[in-house]
Amino acid sequence: MLFLCAGLVLVAALVWLPRADGAPAPADACRSTGVALPRGDCGPFWQVLAEDFNGDRVPLGAFDDCDHHADTSAAYCGGLTGEYRDNWWAYPSGWLDTANSRDRDVAGVHHPEDTVSVGPAPGGDGRMSIRMWRPADGGPVHAAAVVPRAVMQMKYGKYSARIKVTKPAPGYKSAWLHYGGGCEMDHPEGEWTGALTAFHHPCDGGEQGYFPGSDSWTRWHTVSTEWTPGNVRFFVDGRQTGHDTRSVPDHPLSWVLQNESALEGPGAAPGSSAQLDITWVAAYAYGWK
């Protein structure tokens, strides 16, 4: 559930983890490495979102009628109720995914109403599930991009989640991102049958930064992006996997948990499906409140 945290920032000591070459690498500021949802402020970040999906269930079909004030901080899905309407939005049904502009044989169309649900896993753990699929008749992939409303159009911050692809299949990917004004930060990104990576596309159009994070989406990972003035850092399971200082965004951007058809490799086969599960999401504003 959404968690709004008031009060002063708790100053956390900087923690160091060893790199493969033996040199120290900065750790995630909030030590976001465990199974449990982290709660509370850390370092220069104060928490504005803490969602473990252990509240109300959201069945397939509820992420519907999302074309209200689309892509603004006032956006909402008319099919949702209560806290989920207050806290979550999704790209409306009918919006095209990225592959449509890449001359791919198989592209996708956003359909949050038949891809996104929230409920307990067999062990009882609450999860948001993104089940993308392609119709048996060979139509477009049904894609989904969900957006936490608490951090829409926010400048700087820390963004974390615990994720796993529970059913892989060729032709499906994620690119969770902040973008706009010629700037883009993507983490995690990659085809679900490949490696989990991060990218930074500098605002000045410079060469992209590419940062490998893990060789597999099919194990549980805690992923974090820390965006501060002049810096963007990427973490996987508490280990820094990338850092860039080149033309980092300095204006408000939204965090989009984007999942869509693949941009590389084979397209999704007719009748196929793939699923990503999210067991918690946490986000933090930057600086003293």
Side-chain angles (χ1 to χ4, degrees), residues 44-55:
F45 303 105
W46 51 276
Q47 193 171 48
V48 295
L49 172 68
E51 174 65 78
D52 61 9
F53 303 111
N54 287 328

Side-chain angles (χ1 to χ4, degrees), residues 48-169:
V48 295
L49 172 68
E51 174 65 78
D52 61 9
F53 303 111
N54 287 328
D56 295 338
R57 298 188 183 201
V58 180
L60 280 178
F63 269 88
D64 192 20
D65 189 25
C66 297
D67 202 6
H68 297 275
H69 310 291
D71 228 8
T72 74
S73 57
Y76 69 92
C77 296
L80 295 175
T81 60
E83 291 185 350
Y84 277 96
R85 177 183 286 200
D86 293 340
N87 300 338
W88 292 91
W89 177 64
Y91 280 5
S93 182
W95 282 22
L96 303 181
D97 78 0
T98 308
N100 285 273
S101 62
R102 302 292 180 88
D103 198 27
R104 292 278 294 176
D105 291 338
V106 179
V109 177
H110 288 277
H111 283 285
E113 74 283 355
D114 60 22
T115 53
V116 184
S117 62
V118 176
D125 178 42
R127 298 181 187 177
M128 175 178 279
S129 295
I130 313 290
R131 180 185 175 272
M132 295 191 290
W133 55 284
R134 189 178 180 205
D137 66 5
V141 165
H142 286 221
V146 291
V147 184
R149 294 186 63 207
V151 291
M152 291 186 77
Q153 294 301 305
M154 189 169 80
K155 181 177 176 180
Y156 306 132
K158 175 179 171 59
Y159 308 86
S160 301
R162 189 159 179 83
I163 62 173
K164 177 183 179 180
V165 170
T166 53
K167 181 184 179 185

Side-chain angles (χ1 to χ4, degrees), residues 18-281:
R19 288 203 313 239
D21 60 7
D28 181 323
C30 300
R31 308 183 193 184
S32 304
T33 61
V35 174
L37 168 69
R39 292 189 181 273
D41 306 336
C42 49
F45 303 105
W46 51 276
Q47 193 171 48
V48 295
L49 172 68
E51 174 65 78
D52 61 9
F53 303 111
N54 287 328
D56 295 338
R57 298 188 183 201
V58 180
L60 280 178
F63 269 88
D64 192 20
D65 189 25
C66 297
D67 202 6
H68 297 275
H69 310 291
D71 228 8
T72 74
S73 57
Y76 69 92
C77 296
L80 295 175
T81 60
E83 291 185 350
Y84 277 96
R85 177 183 286 200
D86 293 340
N87 300 338
W88 292 91
W89 177 64
Y91 280 5
S93 182
W95 282 22
L96 303 181
D97 78 0
T98 308
N100 285 273
S101 62
R102 302 292 180 88
D103 198 27
R104 292 278 294 176
D105 291 338
V106 179
V109 177
H110 288 277
H111 283 285
E113 74 283 355
D114 60 22
T115 53
V116 184
S117 62
V118 176
D125 178 42
R127 298 181 187 177
M128 175 178 279
S129 295
I130 313 290
R131 180 185 175 272
M132 295 191 290
W133 55 284
R134 189 178 180 205
D137 66 5
V141 165
H142 286 221
V146 291
V147 184
R149 294 186 63 207
V151 291
M152 291 186 77
Q153 294 301 305
M154 189 169 80
K155 181 177 176 180
Y156 306 132
K158 175 179 171 59
Y159 308 86
S160 301
R162 189 159 179 83
I163 62 173
K164 177 183 179 180
V165 170
T166 53
K167 181 184 179 185
Y172 301 91
K173 69 164 291 188
S174 288
W176 291 18
L177 76 165
H178 292 80
Y179 78 101
C183 316
E184 187 169 332
M185 302 174 292
D186 306 274
H187 186 232
E189 180 172 359
E191 277 67 35
W192 287 355
T193 53
L196 185 154
T197 59
F199 292 89
H200 174 229
H201 303 269
C203 301
D204 62 5
E207 183 179 357
Q208 73 175 11
Y210 163 69
F211 307 101
S214 170
D215 61 1
S216 176
W217 287 79
T218 57
R219 297 191 300 272
W220 283 108
H221 292 296
T222 298
V223 293
S224 296
T225 298
E226 295 181 3
W227 170 31
T228 57
N231 290 271
V232 59
R233 300 178 188 273
F234 305 110
F235 298 84
V236 177
D237 300 328
R239 175 179 59 90
Q240 181 174 294
T241 58
H243 176 211
D244 210 337
T245 60
R246 299 170 302 130
S247 196
V248 174
D250 62 358
H251 53 273
L253 297 171
S254 296
W255 186 30
V256 181
L257 283 54
Q258 178 178 260
N259 312 281
E260 57 186 2
S261 57
L263 301 182
E264 297 179 356
S272 67
S273 66
Q275 182 167 316
L276 172 76
D277 283 357
I278 310 165
T279 191
W280 57 255
V281 175

